[in-house]
């Protein structure tokens, strides 16, 4: 079972976002993420947050309201709710957009999942974002763009199934060596000895 968290970020193509959701996912909306769910014809299992964005909460929707003055973002509240319910697998949607503060914070939330041994992917219409500190295999299609973005110096980086191979490479923060690689097969893998590495499957 997977927790699908729909936040209040930007959605430009609801058909693509809806296609990422599985029928057996538990849908948790963070505040105005509920508006996205409605536009996709999805009834969430629960709505959480301070509701400063959504305004009026529909009476027929299960909800948990939190104070506006709080230490966690609404997205973090949704994640903690799912953890309390025992979820270890997460899909984060509508977590990117024009608010770069929220966007960067949401991407960096992947670090917490990694530290807990949980599986988490953040996706939008153009990006599938994952984080690893050891090894990660992922699916795609030949020709898919894959970028490796270090959050700290990454040592011993090796790739398999990508057009431009890396073998015991060092990726430095602020350097673009790992950007715009290409998948050769339906499965690729990345490994490293040290560091934190974002893997981003991107499309224009």
């Amino acid at each position: 079972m997977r927790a699908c968290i729909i936040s209040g970020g930007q959605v430009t193509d609801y058909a693509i976002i809806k296609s990422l959701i599985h029928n057996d996912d538990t849908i948790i909306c963070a505040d105005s993420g509920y508006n996205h769910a409605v536009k996709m014809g999805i009834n969430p299992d629960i709505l959480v947050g301070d509701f400063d964005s959504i305004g009026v909460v529909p009476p027929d929707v299960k909800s948990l309201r939190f104070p506006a003055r709080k230490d966690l973002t609404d997205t973090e509240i949704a994640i903690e709710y799912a953890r309390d319910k025992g979820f270890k697998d997460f899909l984060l949607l509508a977590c990117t957009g024009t608010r770069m503060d929220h966007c960067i914070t949401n991407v960096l939330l992947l670090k917490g999942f990694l530290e807990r041994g949980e599986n988490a992917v953040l996706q939008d219409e153009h990006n599938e974002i994952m984080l690893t500190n050891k090894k990660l295999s992922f699916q795609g299609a030949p020709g898919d763009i894959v970028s490796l973005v270090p959050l700290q110096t990454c040592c011993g980086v090796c790739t398999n199934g990508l057009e431009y191979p890396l073998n015991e490479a060092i990726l430095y923060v602020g350097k673009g060596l790992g950007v715009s690689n290409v998948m050769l097969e339906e499965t690729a893998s990345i490994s490293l000895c040290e560091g934190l590495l974002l893997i981003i499957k991107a499309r224009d």
Side-chain angles (χ1 to χ4, degrees), residues 2 38 52 89 95 149 167 203:
R2 183 176 67 168
V38 169
D52 63 338
D89 195 13
C95 288
V149 180
N167 185 24
R203 69 180 183 87

Side-chain angles (χ1 to χ4, degrees), residues 123-144:
Q123 285 190 257
D124 61 21
E125 295 90 333
H126 299 281
N127 304 279
E128 178 181 348
I129 306 173
M130 301 156 280
L131 181 68
T132 187
N133 59 359
K134 292 181 181 178
K135 184 174 182 178
L136 183 69
S137 297
F138 50 92
Q139 304 297 311
D144 283 355

Side-chain angles (χ1 to χ4, degrees), residues 29-96:
C29 289
D31 203 332
S32 60
Y34 175 74
N35 296 331
H36 294 319
V38 169
K39 290 179 181 179
M40 291 186 286
I42 293 173
N43 294 317
D45 293 279
I46 191 165
L47 168 61
V48 302
D50 57 21
F51 308 148
D52 63 338
S53 299
I54 190 175
V56 178
V57 178
D60 58 337
V61 176
K62 182 180 178 181
S63 63
L64 285 175
R65 182 185 293 271
F66 291 78
R69 297 176 66 88
K70 59 189 187 306
D71 293 331
L72 301 179
T73 65
D74 291 328
T75 301
E76 288 177 292
I77 288 172
I79 292 169
E80 290 303 318
Y81 174 86
R83 283 179 175 145
D84 288 344
K85 296 299 180 181
F87 286 94
K88 301 291 186 182
D89 195 13
F90 297 82
L91 173 65
L92 308 181
L93 300 176
C95 288
T96 58

